[in-house]
Amino acid sequence: MGNALALTLELLQVALAAAQLGVEIANIVQPAIAKVKAAQAAGVDLTDQDLADQLAALRAQSAELSIDPGASST
Amino acid sequence: MSLALGACTSTSVVPVPPAPQTARQAVYLAEIAYAAALQVAISYNRLPRCTAATPAVAGAKIGCSDTAVVAALRAADRDVQAALPAAVAAAGTMSASDTRFVAVLGAVSNAVKALQAILSNHGLTEATLG
């Protein structure tokens, strides 16, 4: 059990440090981390719906990456 | 294990993530890691594309985006998106110790790390993007 969970924690720690969080990313990350902490404090697990909602949000976010900005100056 | 809190800027603070206790929590936290990297990629993509007349780096901030780097980020993002559904499904039916779950979570982790590597290799962070 330890390996998979430790892997995820390490991944997140690296991601957060590498991103050099500003307000924009903090606004995304901090509520999500708070949600996990709240579940752990309550002694409950996240739900399948929690994961599904997060996945849907990430798909929408990912779609933004496919959008080209306005034409660059020529 | 706690993270060092960076107070170099008014907004540069790394929250301390909790250690996941279940498969669902592990996937959820992996998704958070992806979201952080993805947001940086999106910020980079939003920049106008670099041209001969547009400097690639404007002072301490990156002022434009390279087409090839954007393409690499998009490809890496597609890999993460492809790996996530299996991990989400597995988290709902398997324990964190299940080797099948470890495998699908590993696929997500590797894909997110690949995305992070592109960002790191090009010095792309929320702080450096103009």
Side-chain angles (χ1 to χ4, degrees):
Chain A
M1 176 180 294
N3 282 344
L5 303 184
L7 178 72
T8 304
L9 179 59
E10 179 188 358
L11 179 70
L12 182 53
Q13 289 172 334
V14 169
L16 296 180
Q20 293 184 20
L21 299 189
V23 173
E24 191 168 7
I25 296 180
N27 286 341
I28 294 172
V29 168
Q30 287 175 344
I33 289 178
K35 186 178 186 72
V36 176
K37 287 183 174 178
Q40 291 179 344
V44 298
D45 197 4
L46 298 175
T47 66
D48 291 339
Q49 191 60 52
D50 290 329
L51 296 186
D53 290 345
Q54 181 83 311
L55 182 61
L58 288 169
R59 282 179 177 149
Q61 192 181 355
S62 173
E64 289 189 54
L65 186 57
S66 300
I67 299 173
D68 286 327
S72 58
S73 59
T74 56
Chain B
M1 180 181 299
S2 62
L3 294 173
L5 296 179
C8 300
T9 68
S10 60
T11 55
S12 180
V13 176
V14 180
V16 180
Q21 297 171 349
T22 66
R24 286 193 183 95
Q25 290 175 20
V27 172
Y28 198 82
L29 291 173
E31 288 177 327
I32 297 172
Y34 167 46
L38 179 57
Q39 192 55 45
V40 178
I42 289 170
S43 295
Y44 183 70
N45 177 59
R46 283 176 181 159
L47 297 175
R49 299 291 182 256
C50 301
T51 67
T54 308
V57 177
K61 297 284 189 179
I62 297 172
C64 64
S65 55
D66 182 276
T67 302
V69 176
V70 170
L73 289 170
R74 288 174 175 173
D77 177 63
R78 284 193 294 271
D79 289 343
V80 180
Q81 286 288 326
L84 268 175
V88 170
T93 59
M94 301 173 193
S95 71
S97 60
D98 192 312
T99 56
R100 294 169 298 169
F101 173 73
V102 174
V104 294
L105 183 64
V108 172
S109 177
N110 288 338
V112 174
K113 285 180 180 178
L115 179 61
Q116 291 169 342
I118 297 171
L119 297 172
S120 294
N121 289 342
H122 295 278
L124 304 180
T125 68
E126 192 171 4
T128 60
L129 294 174

